[in-house]
Amino acid sequence: MRTIEESTQELIRSIQDTEEYQRYQKLREAVEADSELRGKLNAFRRRVYQAQTSDETLDYFSEQARLGADAAELRKNELVDEYLKMELHICRTIQKIAFELADAIDLDLDAVLE
């Protein structure tokens, strides 16, 4: 029987071998080649993350509007647009795998989550 570690490594290799992941890596390299673009993109991604995880009370609608306007401006650049699409695709793939694992492994948490 294969170990969990071996299966995990096989899953990682399977993801890395997909066309989508390969495309993402090429886009990432292209973005990293332009330090100014990479800085703008990382600043935007940092703001999105902070808006999603902050415990502070924010004017949610104003922040969403600002982020939306900034995203629209960044996505005018085709490289950034495709990079963000591929990044989202990879993240959703990982999320789907995590949800399927959590759903399949019965930890008997129903009573705890009520």
Side-chain angles (χ1 to χ4, degrees):
M1 186 159 146
R2 294 179 355 182
T3 66
I4 292 173
E5 291 82 13
E6 289 171 334
S7 297
T8 301
Q9 291 305 312
E10 184 177 338
L11 177 59
I12 291 167
R13 282 189 301 278
S14 294
I15 292 169
Q16 291 173 335
D17 288 343
T18 64
E19 285 181 39
E20 294 85 358
Y21 186 78
Q22 295 297 317
R23 180 69 185 142
Y24 169 74
Q25 288 300 321
K26 287 179 182 169
L27 291 164
R28 183 176 162 192
E29 288 173 13
V31 168
E32 287 177 354
D34 183 336
S35 60
E36 182 180 344
L37 180 62
R38 182 69 176 168
K40 287 179 184 178
L41 184 56
N42 280 340
F44 170 74
R45 292 165 72 219
R46 194 174 302 110
R47 284 184 42 227
V48 169
Y49 176 78
Q50 289 169 343
Q52 293 173 343
T53 60
S54 177
D55 289 336
E56 295 178 28
T57 304
L58 298 172
D59 181 353
Y60 181 76
F61 294 107
S62 294
E63 184 61 16
Q64 286 299 98
R66 281 191 295 274
L67 288 171
D70 291 348
E73 186 62 32
L74 276 170
R75 285 181 177 270
K76 287 179 183 177
N77 181 314
E78 291 180 23
L79 173 62
V80 171
D81 185 53
E82 191 173 355
Y83 172 81
L84 290 174
K85 285 178 185 175
M86 291 282 45
E87 181 182 62
L88 180 61
H89 177 76
I90 299 299
C91 288
R92 285 191 174 154
T93 298
I94 294 167
Q95 185 180 48
K96 182 179 182 229
I97 292 167
F99 286 150
E100 288 183 25
L101 279 170
D103 201 35
I105 307 298
D106 184 9
L107 293 177
D108 193 26
L109 297 175
D110 293 339
V112 175
L113 300 174
E114 292 177 351

